Amino acid sequence: MLVSIVYMSRAVVPFDDDALAVLLAESRLRNEALGVSGLLLAKGGRFMQLLEGPAWSVDDRFAVIAKDPRHGEVKSLVREDIERRRFDGWSMAYRALDDADVRSEEGFSPFLSGTMDFPRSFDRTSAAWLLKWFRDRELHELP
């Protein structure tokens, strides 16, 4: 059985582009070994991620992320059974990169720039709505 989880978290320590690239490289190795794919969005010290794959693998990855001291305020938003994967590889989007930079980096996506959308079959799901909500909002510190 395949599942997907969408969660949000806040960085406890600052992440610049280089730190996010290292995080992506490390995550890809682990996720490929566990059969997990998905999309990680990073903006303004906040993360929103969709993880998908076998239930045991996705639940394991989410449990590790929830305990990771680099993440705070980890909140699971959606967990659902899926019939097939929506992302066949790991990708990450940055607002700080331009489209030329994104195209040259394996695993990076222009999703946050607003130039990419999801396939119709995924576009009407609650996970797609949450990811688009994150992309389209300016995120500010809460009082």
Side-chain angles (χ1 to χ4, degrees):
M1 173 170 66
L2 296 174
V3 300
S4 72
I5 291 177
V6 176
Y7 76 89
M8 286 184 73
S9 68
R10 179 186 299 270
V12 173
V13 296
F15 271 85
D16 61 12
D17 289 346
D18 291 336
L20 285 169
V22 169
L23 177 69
L24 172 64
E26 293 170 353
S27 297
R28 285 185 74 127
L29 290 174
R30 275 192 235 90
N31 290 340
E32 286 174 14
L34 292 171
V36 174
S37 55
L39 175 69
L40 174 64
L41 306 178
K43 182 167 84 174
R46 292 184 174 89
F47 298 94
M48 181 177 274
Q49 184 170 32
L50 181 145
L51 298 170
E52 63 185 5
W56 66 270
S57 292
V58 170
D59 291 336
D60 176 73
R61 293 307 313 140
F62 180 70
V64 169
I65 291 164
K67 292 177 186 171
D68 187 328
R70 297 174 294 183
H71 288 274
E73 302 174 37
V74 178
K75 295 181 180 116
S76 175
L77 303 172
V78 174
R79 185 182 193 281
E80 59 189 353
D81 295 337
I82 57 174
E83 292 181 22
R84 61 184 175 2
R85 292 177 188 267
R86 296 158 178 160
F87 302 94
D88 60 2
W90 185 266
S91 54
M92 181 189 301
Y94 285 111
R95 186 173 294 276
L97 294 179
D98 65 26
D99 287 343
D101 292 331
V102 170
R103 282 192 295 274
S104 69
E105 284 291 331
E106 180 184 354
F108 286 81
S109 163
F111 178 75
L112 284 182
S113 70
T115 61
M116 175 199 155
D117 253 329
F118 297 119
R120 292 194 94 162
S121 61
F122 180 57
D123 199 41
R124 286 171 260 149
T125 67
S126 55
W129 184 89
L130 284 167
L131 293 168
K132 286 181 180 181
W133 177 89
F134 185 85
R135 175 186 67 189
D136 297 337
R137 298 295 181 284
E138 288 299 322
L139 301 176
H140 304 284
E141 290 296 318
L142 297 174

